[in-house]
Amino acid sequence: MSIVGKVESLWRYPVKSMRGEELDEAFAGYPGVYGDRMFAFKSSASPAGFPYFTAREQRRLLQYRPLFRYPDKAARPVNLAEADKIGAGPLSADVSELMVDIVTPDGKTVAIDDPVLIEMLLSEIDKKHQLTLMRSHRAMADCRPVSLFSVQSARQLSQETKMPIDKRRFRANVYLDLASNNGFGENELVGRSLKIGPKVVVKVLERDPRCAMIALDPDTAERTPAVLKKVAQAHEGTAAVYGAVIVEGMLHKGDPVEPLD
């Protein structure tokens, strides 16, 4: 099969709705990218089916930057080499080794479980929200464990909206640089299995229906409704695709992407 593109960049989001971090390599496991969306805040005002407190309620969440306290432990499963040798599933680091500190918009650093952080997050918004910290070894994604988006799609949306579009609005795990150079070419991969790099296989399951998150600038949190409007009008309300990991392994920036079917 022919190579359809390469990995342009890799990202994970340790805390749901907070700023992401770019990685040179990442472990893609059945639950998602290692360290991705491990933490979230649950709101008493959110529906039971989607209990999360996100930037839709508090835009400034995007300006909070999570940092793993022990980055080496958060880089990959602790026994990955040994697990590969015997064909076993790898293990996560201990809970205490995957703690996160948060750099606030004004430059202060607080622990993810510090009650002061909740007070900061609730400032300047409706007091109906009562927040509880959530933690999971499975990525608390909206739908599927892994998301993919092409830089060509971001470029096309820039042309369509006549404004610069930062790819980070779409909060993907894997940004693709497609050989076809066509915007929204990732839609053609739905239903196919992709080998990414030497080992990882991702089954692309569906297009990603977008919400108001993509209308928010990833740096300033300013709202630009035209982005969401264009996606709704020109692209059936979807941008990016969701996938599930079929074969676990390490992903690297620059890895080739090859359909297997």
Side-chain angles (χ1 to χ4, degrees):
M1 301 296 291
S2 60
I3 291 172
V4 297
K6 64 180 180 180
V7 174
E8 187 269 345
S9 60
L10 297 164
W11 292 75
R12 70 179 174 187
Y13 310 84
V15 182
K16 191 174 183 69
S17 254
M18 288 189 182
R19 183 163 294 182
E21 59 177 357
E22 184 174 3
L23 306 170
D24 290 329
E25 61 177 21
F27 180 76
Y30 303 131
V33 170
Y34 191 65
D36 186 48
R37 296 171 171 92
M38 287 189 64
F39 295 90
F41 286 95
K42 178 180 180 180
S43 171
S44 60
S46 298
F50 191 85
Y52 307 112
F53 180 73
T54 73
R56 280 167 286 198
E57 292 79 39
Q58 170 57 290
R59 288 182 291 160
R60 280 170 58 82
L61 268 173
L62 292 171
Q63 297 178 303
Y64 286 76
R65 183 163 62 97
L67 298 173
F68 279 103
R69 195 171 296 171
Y70 307 105
D72 290 347
K73 298 291 186 180
R76 59 176 67 193
V78 292
N79 68 331
L80 183 58
E82 294 81 2
D84 279 345
K85 287 179 183 177
I86 63 174
L91 299 174
S92 294
D94 186 78
V95 167
S96 63
E97 296 172 326
L98 293 176
M99 283 302 293
V100 167
D101 294 314
I102 308 297
V103 181
T104 68
D106 60 1
K108 296 179 182 177
T109 300
V110 296
I112 184 71
D113 55 354
D114 190 331
V116 170
L117 179 60
I118 287 180
E119 294 177 13
M120 293 179 181
L121 297 178
L122 290 177
S123 64
E124 303 175 5
I125 66 167
D126 194 320
K127 301 307 179 185
K128 66 181 180 180
H129 296 279
Q130 294 181 6
L131 303 187
T132 305
L133 181 64
M134 303 173 67
R135 180 179 188 143
S136 173
H137 283 301
R138 177 184 62 83
M140 289 184 276
D142 288 357
C143 185
R144 307 295 183 177
V146 178
S147 57
L148 306 93
F149 184 64
S150 73
V151 293
Q152 285 77 16
S153 296
R155 188 178 306 140
Q156 180 172 327
L157 283 169
S158 292
Q159 296 168 350
E160 291 174 344
T161 59
K162 297 180 173 56
M163 59 179 287
I165 298 293
D166 191 321
K167 69 184 181 185
R168 293 178 299 151
R169 286 178 181 264
F170 300 88
R171 299 179 68 81
N173 297 119
V174 182
Y175 288 92
L176 301 173
D177 184 359
L178 296 177
S180 67
N181 212 32
N182 295 327
F184 294 86
E186 59 268 35
N187 292 346
E188 304 303 316
L189 301 174
V190 173
R192 308 184 74 178
S193 295
L194 304 179
K195 185 177 183 182
I196 306 178
K199 185 177 180 181
V200 175
V201 177
V202 173
K203 179 76 172 184
V204 182
L205 298 171
E206 59 189 309
R207 293 163 68 179
D208 182 354
R210 304 315 301 224
C211 65
M213 285 288 293
I214 65 172
L216 302 178
D217 183 279
D219 289 324
T220 67
E222 291 301 315
R223 187 177 284 114
T224 312
V227 179
L228 182 60
K229 183 178 180 181
K230 178 55 66 175
V231 168
Q233 293 178 341
H235 303 287
E236 300 178 313
T238 66
V241 293
Y242 277 129
V245 176
I246 305 302
V247 178
E248 297 181 308
M250 295 298 296
L251 298 171
H252 303 85
K253 185 175 180 178
D255 275 347
V257 178
E258 177 185 6
L260 297 179
D261 47 23

